[in-house]
Amino acid sequence: MSGEVSLGIPEMPAPDYPADVRARLENDAREVIARYPGSRSALLPLLHLVQSEEGYVTRTGIRFCAEVLDLTTAEVTAVATFYTMYRRKPSGEYQVGVCTNTLCAVMGGDAIFEELQQHLGIGNDETTADGKVTLEHIECNAACDFAPVVMVNWEFFDNQTPESAKAMVDDLIAGREVRPTRGAPLCGYRQTARILAGFPDEREGAVEAGGGAGPASLAGLKLHRGEVAAARVVPPRAEPAGTDVTEEDGE
């Protein structure tokens, strides 16, 4: 026996980026930090920045954020592990998220998620062997008007069915063009992370693309503005049989 026991504890400290990568990221980080009155406020976009480098938030990325913001790695890790948009392990070029919250679930989201798992041969938060697709269930895509909804790298695919969702992931894996039902064109997950870090979206037509809320979500706002007449939420309740309602009754 060697007498050497592995406890599964990562080697400390984390390795640094290669010098050229570090210099490039430092330039980007200075641009991000300059947007905020306090440097600590730049942590969220900086986590997206390091995620754009390797496709997930590595120990090296956490070390980098801590050093440029004068934080501890524990402080950075606490934030990186709190938000689900930060990947903690290698993931696919396309992050496919199926909403399984209440409305999407009853409209077919659960069925879509189950069939995609079988179709792709992977479970929740797992990636296909070719590195193309990572599948996960999402609690809410904030698009209930269009349920059931699937997102790919945070772009919307509305009113999905198991068949349309399977066809979509097949196209992603095959490298065929896939267009969201609304919003900007698709790009890879690393490029998406860089855009979320606050850098310009240089995809043709991306800035002009629309992807707003649906009419049901906007009904309250339009009513407040006086743009539409108030509508009954439920039909009038029928009076019980044999009830004789007169004007004298005040009804």
Side-chain angles (χ1 to χ4, degrees):
M1 297 178 65
S2 65
E4 197 171 308
V5 178
S6 173
L7 300 178
I9 301 174
E11 180 184 349
M12 299 296 288
D16 199 357
Y17 288 115
D20 59 330
V21 175
R22 172 90 188 200
R24 172 167 49 79
L25 289 176
E26 284 179 343
N27 286 333
D28 288 340
R30 282 193 289 270
E31 181 179 336
V32 172
I33 294 170
R35 303 173 191 154
Y36 299 91
S39 62
R40 188 186 184 107
S41 299
L43 178 54
L44 295 181
L46 284 185
L47 285 169
H48 284 299
L49 175 65
V50 298
Q51 185 159 253
S52 74
E53 189 64 32
E54 297 178 87
Y56 69 109
V57 177
T58 64
R59 292 171 51 239
T60 297
I62 288 174
R63 171 185 170 179
F64 173 82
C65 291
E67 290 176 351
V68 299
L69 296 176
D70 195 24
L71 300 172
T72 66
T73 54
E75 289 174 308
V76 176
T77 301
V79 174
T81 56
F82 181 82
Y83 294 102
T84 58
M85 288 181 75
Y86 300 121
R87 305 295 301 165
R88 298 168 60 186
K89 62 182 181 180
S91 59
E93 182 179 359
Y94 298 102
Q95 190 80 24
V96 176
V98 182
C99 183
T100 56
N101 213 335
T102 307
L103 184 57
C104 277
V106 299
M107 295 293 288
D110 283 344
I112 291 172
F113 186 63
E114 290 174 6
E115 293 215 22
L116 282 180
Q117 288 184 94
Q118 296 176 5
H119 185 67
L120 295 171
I122 56 177
N124 181 50
D125 201 26
E126 293 181 354
T127 303
T128 54
D130 58 10
K132 286 285 189 178
V133 170
T134 296
L135 179 66
E136 67 173 347
H137 76 82
I138 297 177
E139 287 302 321
C140 184
N141 282 328
C144 299
D145 289 16
F146 305 101
V149 176
V150 176
M151 295 194 89
V152 180
N153 292 351
W154 311 116
E155 300 295 347
F156 289 102
F157 288 77
D158 303 322
N159 304 119
Q160 292 295 293
T161 65
E163 290 71 28
S164 66
K166 287 187 290 187
M168 180 261 290
V169 296
D170 285 346
D171 286 341
L172 291 174
I173 291 171
R176 293 187 285 268
E177 181 181 14
V178 175
R179 299 190 67 85
T181 52
R182 57 196 168 101
L186 278 184
C187 62
Y189 190 64
R190 296 189 187 193
Q191 186 179 351
T192 300
R194 183 169 177 83
I195 294 168
L196 291 173
F199 291 93
D201 188 342
E202 299 176 349
R203 294 172 293 171
E204 183 178 354
V207 176
E208 297 80 13
S217 294
L218 298 176
L221 176 62
K222 292 184 176 181
L223 182 62
H224 170 72
R225 291 175 173 172
E227 297 176 7
V228 294
R232 297 189 69 93
V233 177
V234 295
R237 184 173 58 185
E239 294 296 337
T243 301
D244 185 15
V245 179
T246 65
E247 292 184 3
E248 287 75 12
D249 293 325
E251 297 291 328

